[in-house]
Amino acid sequence: MTALELLTVGRVGVDLYPEQSGVPLKDVQTFAKFLGGTATNVAVAAATLGHSAAVLTKVGADGFGDYVREALGGFGVDTSYVGTAAGLQTPVVFCELDPPEDPPLTFYRSPIAPDLTLIAADVPWDVMAEVPVLWVTGTGVSVEPARTTQLEMLARRVRPEPGSRRWTILDLDWREMFWPSPDEARAEYDLMLDHVTVTVGNRDEVEVAVGTRDPDEAADRLLARGVEIAFVKMGGEGVLVATPDHREVVRPHRVEVVCGLGSGDAFGGALVHGLLSGWDPVRCAEYANAAGAVVASRLACAEAMPTIDELDRMIATRGATT
């Protein structure tokens, strides 16, 4: 059996995408069903790029939960740590492709999503401690009991040393609807930053996490907490890659956007691929940007994740035109 390279923790669900673009949700006639959830999509993206990945999460005891397990398996993601929360339903998310660049989402995760009911007994502690890449999200600490569980995971996973080829990655994943206030979120982010080696977030997310929207200042504050690499996404301006020794903006790839959802998760999967391949942070960001662009040009998230050949071609094409 191939040794696990990536364990992601957190959100899973079923995404329902309109088959009519550019209209409000009330006018949509039909929807298409896809696998979704940030942690889930990152695992799928990494598996598509050839890595062994698993998700630590929970689904409901329903048909959508069965669908999630089958879909994950179809993408080559290990489902050993996908539990079932009795009495709860697998989350459903409705997407509104208006505008397609930043589609509004309607989450059905009440009274609590199964993935937020993770407890210590659900965690494969030996795997969590040794896996090369552990990926956690801000949403994972938005409520109990998942909050305590994820914080305990970070506390018990010894912070990898720089150059060790092991990473604990925090996807800031700020979702306003999951929190009472930004201040409460910042307090939880603050606790996690003592344990992670890589952070990924956009301007809104770093503002919640460290109190500033300025990419360079945010990177300074993240690095001061012991983070090894900070990736600050700046939309059309690219992504700032910051380490203690180097700082560079990697420009984005221009594509016609069909649906912006999932592009950040594709970024994450390609980032994991780059780290596991021993690439420097800038090269990781170049491929991650390319992965995000590919998914933005397609409908759906998990099903849209690119292969390494597709990313190689996109990188080579841009190199030939510059």
Side-chain angles (χ1 to χ4, degrees):
M1 181 177 178
T2 302
L4 193 67
E5 295 175 288
L6 167 68
L7 179 65
T8 67
V9 185
R11 205 161 66 244
V12 69
V14 177
D15 289 348
L16 297 177
Y17 284 76
E19 294 184 314
Q20 298 79 42
S21 183
V23 299
L25 197 59
K26 69 180 181 65
D27 294 329
V28 175
Q29 299 297 311
T30 55
F31 293 87
K33 178 184 69 175
F34 298 101
L35 182 66
T38 296
T40 301
N41 289 334
V42 170
V44 169
T48 303
L49 293 171
H51 298 283
S52 55
V55 187
L56 172 59
T57 190
K58 283 185 177 180
V59 295
D62 51 33
F64 279 148
D66 296 337
Y67 163 73
V68 164
R69 285 192 175 87
E70 290 180 8
L72 281 169
F75 287 116
V77 176
D78 188 342
T79 61
S80 300
Y81 313 116
V82 179
T84 301
L88 295 177
Q89 295 177 316
T90 304
V92 173
V93 182
F94 285 89
C95 167
E96 183 176 354
L97 297 179
D98 184 24
E101 296 82 7
D102 187 19
L105 299 175
T106 302
F107 289 90
Y108 286 78
R109 292 169 61 86
S110 297
I112 186 173
D115 52 72
L116 291 175
T117 67
L118 289 171
I119 59 174
D122 299 316
V123 180
W125 292 104
D126 54 341
V127 173
M128 184 279 303
E130 299 299 330
V131 69
V133 181
L134 176 68
W135 181 286
V136 298
T137 72
T139 298
V141 293
S142 59
V143 299
E144 296 289 2
R147 174 182 295 167
T148 293
T149 303
Q150 184 164 295
L151 290 174
E152 184 178 354
M153 291 176 66
L154 292 175
R156 289 174 59 172
R157 179 176 165 89
V158 176
R159 194 179 209 174
E161 294 293 330
S164 67
R165 299 292 297 275
R166 295 176 67 246
W167 299 270
T168 303
I169 302 177
L170 171 59
D171 177 358
L172 297 176
D173 187 37
W174 160 246
R175 301 279 180 173
E176 184 177 5
M177 70 285 294
F178 296 160
W179 291 90
S181 70
D183 288 340
E184 182 171 330
R186 183 171 300 144
E188 300 304 328
Y189 284 125
D190 188 64
L191 294 174
M192 291 190 289
L193 288 175
D194 286 331
H195 303 281
V196 302
T197 52
V198 180
T199 58
V200 181
N202 59 31
R203 283 189 174 103
D204 290 340
E205 291 168 331
V206 296
E207 182 177 22
V208 172
V210 293
T212 178
R213 293 179 60 81
D214 179 81
D216 280 294
E217 178 61 27
D220 288 341
R221 295 182 187 185
L222 290 164
L223 295 174
R225 298 297 300 275
V227 170
E228 187 177 337
I229 315 170
F231 296 91
V232 183
K233 300 175 185 177
M234 303 183 296
E237 298 173 46
V239 59
L240 173 65
V241 183
T243 72
D245 303 317
H246 183 73
R247 192 163 299 203
E248 186 171 333
V249 174
V250 177
R251 60 194 177 96
H253 294 260
R254 304 297 180 185
V255 295
E256 182 176 349
V257 176
V258 174
C259 178
L261 291 179
S263 59
D265 305 332
F267 183 103
L271 168 59
V272 169
H273 171 73
L275 292 173
L276 289 170
S277 300
W279 297 351
D280 66 79
V282 170
R283 187 182 182 192
C284 289
E286 289 171 344
Y287 272 75
N289 271 353
V294 169
V295 172
S297 70
R298 299 170 175 173
L299 185 65
C301 295
E303 284 81 355
M305 296 303 173
T307 64
I308 191 62
D309 287 342
E310 289 176 307
L311 298 183
D312 283 339
R313 285 196 296 272
M314 178 171 276
I315 296 293
T317 299
R318 185 163 75 175
T321 59
T322 55

